Amino acid sequence: MEEYRAQIIAACVAIYFVVCIVVGIWAMRRTRSSRDFFMAGRDLGIWVTSIAIFSSAMSGFGFVGGPGLVYKMGMSSLWIVISTTIGYAICFFLLGTKLRRWAVERDSISLPDVIAARYNSRLAGLLAAVAIVLGVMGYLATQIAAMSTVLQSLASGLTGWDDLPLEYCAIFSTTLLVFYCVTGGIIASVYTDLVQGVIMMVAAVLVFLTAISVYDGGMTGISETLMKDDPGSMSPWGSKGMIGCLSWYFVFALGVAGQPHVISKLMMTRRSSDARFTLPMTVIGYMITALLWITLGLTMRAMVVSGAHPELTAPDRAAPEFLQVFAHPVLAGVVFAGLFAAIMSTADAFLNIGTAAIVHDIPVALRGRPLRNELGWARFVTGLIGIAAMIFALYTGDMVALLGAFGWGTFAAALVPTVAIGLNWERGTGAAACVAIASSLLVNFVIKAFEIPIPLNIDSGAIALLISIVLFVGVSLCSAPKTPASEGKPV
Amino acid sequence: MKATPIPLFVFALALLGLMTLAVAQFTPAEPQTHSQFSTMQVGGNRAADDSEHWMFGLMFGWCVIANLLAFLWLGTDGKRHAGSLQILLCLGGVLFAVVYLVMMLAFGDYVGDRGPTMLGYFPNPATWMIFGVWFMPVFFIAVYSFGFHRWFHGGGEVDRSDQEGTVD
């Protein structure tokens, strides 16, 4: 079986791609309006919503970058993972039922729509849409770049495909993504998320079991080896340090309630009472997939430290190297499919919210009414965004990394105060929302663009988030509130 | 929507203040590359640095927890029977703070005279981090799920939105 390793992996991935195409065609028949395209007709059940939420949060970063960080820094990056339990709890306490109620009562089909209605301010909606478009372009480009790179390395093992140019891989990846998002919109996106989420969970459990069985002494042996080599890396703070790790914990915990690709799913559920089950199921799903993040990085570090494996050329090679050397070919195939699933489930969510921002939110903010034939425009713009992100990924180098890093912290700082606090505090004003969103863009962009060093490894997103919270509450207390759209004419 | 975000405002300011204090007071330790493997970093001086500022780390962590709890609290105001929910949140908050304290004590021992020890599959403080700090908030998730109809979902408004939101 070993001699057919590359073929087996390619076959598993090909089967997964075919499933995505079939789901896209199936979803096309269910997409009849822009409400279906962006909000899945507000008809998602508990299972679909839960899996869609955690799988779009656990991106390719979780499957490749996460183990790479553990390999490089020791326990530090686990603070990102462990923030999820409290993060999802906060998200559901504040928005679990409320966001859906606002969306239904104002017939909102996007997050900026809800923001514009809440503050009776088109400017607030416009700024939120701009923040989303900027974040989406960076995130989407990094996902396409990751997918193309993995596809290229997969093809390199197949005879006749070993020198496939990266551009071809990017074109294939984008075409596949755009196909099912154009045909089926968010319906295709969430139902492929369902398939992707299940594959990710299976892959994570199998990798966990393999990882602890390939090292003598299992997880205890791994820990003892690493502790003997460097006790500091196995302390809770790893090489990042205490304040840096806690700033990660803070921004990733609160940031969940500000990620548009995550919280917009709460607007699509069939019943608001589903939130009761969606929360625990989402957290369980995330915890299972996080097993891969934790065990794979530690195992590879222990393998290298103990001399059982040569040093990796780069930390991000931890996951691919483990799969190539230690995993059974079928397991490697499932995990590679899981890796594509992780990347694509995030990318399709971004494609959808980016399209909503351009086709719906910005025209509504500028013209006061939506475009005619919104569904047609949505399909066209989805393709356009996909192509733009692909070009961006291939030809702009550092800019992609800059906008990719810009994403989480910007979304958190822009949307946590305006959405999570604003929907729970009626004194929050439109002026405060605009100031909070503008400050989040400014602070994050200035820190990233000018590469301002922050001592003690404090995360720039944490600083931007704290500033925007303080500004939002402070400006709200100092400015006169407008009547929200709930009490007046809908925006 | 009768909530007040004043606690949240105060804790956010406090955290910003602590960050500024940390930046002003501590000499930042640079990340160190492993002596044999250039793609790995080691804790090195960082661990000694962190143990030196143990008390500050405890305060900083508690302040982060207070911020997170203030957000949970914001989600409780204006709810029916909010009093009992807020009592549960206080209880959860205390538990959370205690779990973090135990992790910090274990970290103190880890870098102190007693040296690194294992607890289960991981070093002692890492075990508290993974099975304590990660799993403790499951308490809040249980409160949300089991008390959902009592505290988070009720009233005609929600039922109406359910009917309006469902497609045929």
Side-chain angles (χ1 to χ4, degrees):
Chain A
M1 197 175 258
E2 264 313 309
E3 62 209 77
Y4 297 110
R5 187 177 191 90
Q7 287 81 353
I8 291 170
I9 294 173
C12 290
V13 172
I15 291 169
Y16 162 71
F17 285 163
V18 170
V19 170
C20 289
I21 292 169
V22 171
V23 171
I25 295 168
W26 168 79
M28 183 167 63
R29 300 172 62 186
R30 294 185 55 174
T31 305
R32 298 181 199 95
S33 65
S34 55
R35 191 185 185 213
D36 292 334
F37 195 89
F38 293 123
M39 282 288 110
R42 274 194 249 285
D43 194 28
L44 299 184
I46 296 167
W47 282 95
V48 181
T49 312
S50 310
I51 294 179
I53 289 176
F54 91 75
S55 66
S56 34
M58 176 64 87
S59 63
F61 174 74
F63 266 42
V64 177
L69 279 178
V70 176
Y71 169 85
K72 182 184 174 186
M73 309 172 85
M75 302 300 264
S76 306
S77 79
L78 264 57
W79 286 95
I80 298 176
V81 176
I82 68 171
S83 67
T84 47
T85 39
I86 185 75
Y88 281 116
I90 291 171
C91 179
F92 275 75
F93 263 63
L94 296 175
L95 301 173
T97 56
K98 205 153 272 184
L99 194 54
R100 185 186 179 284
R101 204 167 74 216
W102 272 89
V104 168
E105 286 177 3
R106 282 89 190 161
D107 203 21
S108 304
I109 61 169
S110 67
L111 215 50
D113 241 6
V114 172
I115 292 171
R118 159 65 186 87
Y119 297 103
N120 205 1
S121 161
R122 280 196 214 162
L123 181 61
L126 178 68
L127 283 172
V130 169
I132 285 173
V133 170
L134 284 175
V136 160
M137 284 309 288
Y139 259 135
L140 194 57
T142 51
Q143 301 299 322
I144 288 175
M147 193 171 160
S148 313
T149 309
V150 178
L151 204 59
Q152 193 185 35
S153 77
L154 200 66
S156 67
L158 298 169
T159 320
W161 295 81
D162 42 2
D163 55 353
L164 194 65
L166 189 67
E167 284 82 358
Y168 287 11
C169 298
I171 290 170
F172 176 80
S173 309
T174 310
T175 308
L176 182 66
L177 261 176
V178 165
F179 172 77
Y180 75 80
C181 288
V182 164
T183 51
I186 196 72
I187 298 180
S189 169
V190 290
Y191 280 94
T192 47
D193 282 356
L194 181 68
V195 177
Q196 290 155 353
V198 171
I199 293 174
M200 284 158 70
M201 283 196 282
V202 171
V205 171
L206 292 177
V207 163
F208 170 72
L209 295 174
T210 308
I212 57 172
S213 66
V214 295
Y215 199 88
D216 276 349
M219 189 47 78
T220 312
I222 291 169
S223 294
E224 282 172 348
T225 302
L226 294 177
M227 208 164 69
K228 208 176 290 173
D229 175 62
D230 171 40
S233 67
M234 287 303 281
S235 89
W237 315 118
S239 67
K240 190 175 169 73
M242 189 161 58
I243 307 297
C245 287
L246 286 170
S247 74
W248 257 352
Y249 186 68
F250 173 75
V251 75
F252 280 93
L254 276 188
V256 174
Q259 301 307 304
H261 58 300
V262 174
I263 57 176
S264 58
K265 304 278 182 343
L266 296 173
M267 295 158 67
M268 302 174 194
T269 54
R270 191 176 298 147
R271 287 176 297 269
S272 53
S273 56
D274 290 350
R276 175 185 191 183
F277 302 105
T278 309
L279 172 59
M281 285 167 61
T282 300
V283 171
I284 290 169
Y286 192 96
M287 285 173 129
I288 291 172
T289 48
L291 285 174
L292 188 142
W293 180 319
I294 300 168
T295 50
L296 215 149
L298 289 176
T299 307
M300 283 312 291
R301 189 172 167 116
M303 288 286 186
V304 171
V305 162
S306 63
H309 192 275
E311 188 185 2
L312 304 180
T313 50
D316 282 353
R317 292 290 306 159
E321 199 81 9
F322 177 86
L323 294 175
Q324 275 167 18
V325 179
F326 300 107
H328 186 276
V330 177
L331 168 62
V334 173
V335 179
F336 266 109
L339 175 58
F340 280 108
I343 296 170
M344 289 165 69
S345 56
T346 306
D348 59 26
F350 280 122
L351 209 46
N352 192 270
I353 56 166
T355 302
I358 292 174
V359 169
H360 180 79
D361 304 322
I362 294 178
V364 167
L366 296 176
R367 292 155 32 108
R369 61 180 191 281
L371 297 172
R372 277 187 196 169
N373 188 16
E374 212 171 37
L375 179 59
W377 277 107
R379 289 194 156 125
F380 176 68
V381 169
T382 301
L384 221 54
I385 294 179
I387 294 167
M390 181 188 73
I391 294 170
F392 211 48
L394 285 174
Y395 302 113
T396 52
D398 287 352
M399 195 64 186
V400 176
L402 176 69
L403 283 183
F406 181 71
W408 183 279
T410 306
F411 284 150
L415 300 177
V416 166
T418 44
V419 180
I421 301 177
L423 292 190
N424 288 278
W425 182 45
E426 70 186 357
R427 186 69 180 75
T429 65
C434 294
V435 168
I437 297 170
S439 85
S440 78
L441 291 173
L442 194 70
V443 173
N444 273 305
F445 193 80
V446 166
I447 291 175
K448 298 287 181 200
F450 296 102
E451 292 176 0
I452 297 172
I454 303 175
L456 304 170
N457 284 322
I458 293 173
D459 189 85
S460 60
I463 297 173
L465 177 56
L466 283 168
I467 292 174
S468 74
I469 290 171
V470 169
L471 284 174
F472 179 79
V473 179
V475 173
S476 291
L477 292 173
C478 299
S479 57
K482 263 188 180 178
T483 312
S486 60
E487 292 163 28
K489 196 179 166 191
V491 172
Chain B
M1 289 201 298
K2 287 175 184 137
T4 166
I6 298 301
L8 198 147
F9 181 71
V10 172
F11 290 131
L13 275 177
L15 196 57
L16 264 178
L18 283 176
M19 271 184 192
T20 314
L21 190 67
V23 170
Q25 297 263 310
F26 305 160
T27 317
E30 292 299 317
Q32 291 182 324
T33 307
H34 196 287
S35 57
Q36 282 175 283
F37 309 108
S38 59
T39 51
M40 282 183 203
Q41 290 177 349
V42 291
N45 290 348
R46 178 83 67 191
D49 233 42
D50 287 339
S51 68
E52 206 177 301
H53 303 118
W54 186 90
M55 182 53 82
F56 186 85
L58 181 69
M59 293 300 157
F60 195 90
W62 275 349
C63 192
V64 167
I65 291 171
N67 267 278
L68 302 179
L69 288 171
F71 270 87
L72 287 175
W73 191 274
L74 187 69
T76 70
D77 279 347
K79 299 275 189 302
R80 295 174 304 144
H81 317 292
S84 50
L85 175 58
Q86 286 167 347
I87 291 169
L88 280 173
L89 281 192
C90 288
L91 183 69
V94 171
L95 269 174
F96 204 171
V98 168
V99 166
Y100 181 74
L101 171 67
V102 174
M103 189 200 81
M104 285 301 286
L105 289 171
F107 172 68
D109 286 345
Y110 186 79
V111 290
D113 296 337
R114 287 177 64 183
T117 50
M118 294 285 287
L119 178 63
Y121 299 115
F122 298 100
N124 193 357
T127 297
W128 278 102
M129 167 197 173
I130 294 171
F131 296 102
V133 180
W134 194 12
F135 281 68
M136 192 278 133
V138 169
F139 172 83
F140 301 114
I141 294 168
V143 167
Y144 185 83
S145 291
F146 290 109
F148 185 75
H149 288 296
R150 182 172 164 82
W151 292 308
F152 297 96
H153 184 264
E157 201 181 353
V158 171
D159 299 338
R160 202 173 56 247
S161 83
D162 276 359
Q163 285 162 9
E164 286 169 5
T166 310
V167 289
D168 296 326

